[in-house]
Amino acid sequence: MKAKSQAQELFNAQQVSEARKVTTAAIRAAAVLLAKEDEMDLTERSSQREDLKTLFGVLHSNRSLLLMNQIQSNDEEVLQFGSHAAWTLVVKDTDAALRQNPSNFKASFRRAKALFELGELEQAMVDATKVVDHYARNTQVSNPEAVALRQAIQQQLKKERAKWGDKGGPRWNRAAQEASPLISEVGPEYAA
């Protein structure tokens, strides 16, 4: 897709914000094409559907890289709603990339980094370990960034466990993760 190569050129020219915008436009276009194919009969669906789904995952992975670059360079555009919101976007993009290709270790690394920044240490450890183990098994060269990230996660986990014990720290958003609402007597006018 032309947009993917255009985004790569912009990234190489250090125009990360523009590269992210082009990548976002490409993601939207791919989503529209996938939705159109979903509406067709099975016999009419394009043989290129799998290629389109793969591209969709790659675009999300690429955008997660662009977002991380913007966050780490303190880009005001990405950080306008706070670093938590920005790192959450990275997680969403890496999740989408990993749904298309669970073996995308670059996306796993980026998700581990984002989850670490969000304080989701156990989940970050799973992804970081997956990446470190992959490189240890499949290449002669380790991934030093993944090793360093896993060590940082381990250190933070030790601090939390020393502070809170095996229960882990208080999760202020624990109610949001539960299936039942916090308030059960809300009328239908307030239902989501």
Side-chain angles (χ1 to χ4, degrees):
M1 184 176 244
K2 184 180 177 184
K4 183 178 176 250
S5 60
Q6 182 183 5
Q8 182 66 44
E9 290 172 12
L10 289 166
F11 178 74
N12 291 340
Q14 298 182 347
Q15 295 177 319
V16 179
S17 178
E18 290 303 313
R20 184 181 49 79
K21 289 174 185 173
V22 169
T23 303
T24 298
I27 289 170
R28 288 180 181 151
V32 168
L33 291 173
L34 284 169
K36 284 183 180 180
E37 290 216 0
D38 284 343
E39 293 172 0
M40 294 181 188
D41 289 337
L42 287 174
T43 56
E44 295 178 13
R45 287 191 183 169
S46 167
S47 62
Q48 297 176 356
R49 181 172 177 74
E50 288 307 311
D51 291 340
L52 188 57
K53 287 173 70 177
T54 299
L55 177 64
F56 190 69
V58 168
L59 290 169
H60 275 284
S61 181
N62 290 353
R63 187 169 66 178
S64 71
L65 170 66
L66 297 168
L67 283 165
M68 281 183 62
N69 276 302
Q70 287 185 279
I71 294 167
Q72 291 169 340
S73 66
N74 292 316
D75 187 312
E76 290 180 19
E77 179 184 21
V78 171
L79 295 172
Q80 66 184 332
F81 297 109
S83 65
H84 187 274
W87 285 113
T88 300
L89 291 174
V90 173
V91 171
K92 287 182 180 185
D93 271 341
T94 55
D95 284 346
L98 290 165
R99 274 192 298 277
Q100 298 305 320
N101 180 5
S103 297
N104 184 336
F105 293 100
K106 291 178 182 179
S108 292
F109 172 77
R110 292 178 196 132
R111 185 170 67 181
K113 174 70 174 160
L115 290 168
F116 176 68
E117 295 294 334
L118 291 169
E120 299 294 334
L121 300 177
E122 282 85 10
Q123 291 174 301
M125 181 60 104
V126 169
D127 280 340
T129 299
K130 180 179 171 182
V131 174
V132 170
D133 289 349
H134 165 76
Y135 282 96
R137 279 192 312 267
N138 299 312
T139 66
Q140 292 181 355
V141 179
S142 68
N143 183 328
E145 288 178 304
V147 171
L149 176 60
R150 186 171 72 170
Q151 289 173 342
I153 295 167
Q154 287 172 332
Q155 290 173 349
Q156 195 62 33
L157 279 168
K158 283 181 185 177
K159 287 180 186 176
E160 277 203 11
R161 288 184 181 138
K163 184 175 181 180
W164 301 103
D166 288 336
K167 287 184 168 184
R171 299 280 186 222
W172 304 113
N173 61 351
R174 192 173 280 158
Q177 295 174 356
E178 294 177 5
S180 61
L182 192 58
I183 301 173
S184 59
E185 292 132 22
V186 174
E189 66 273 7
Y190 295 106

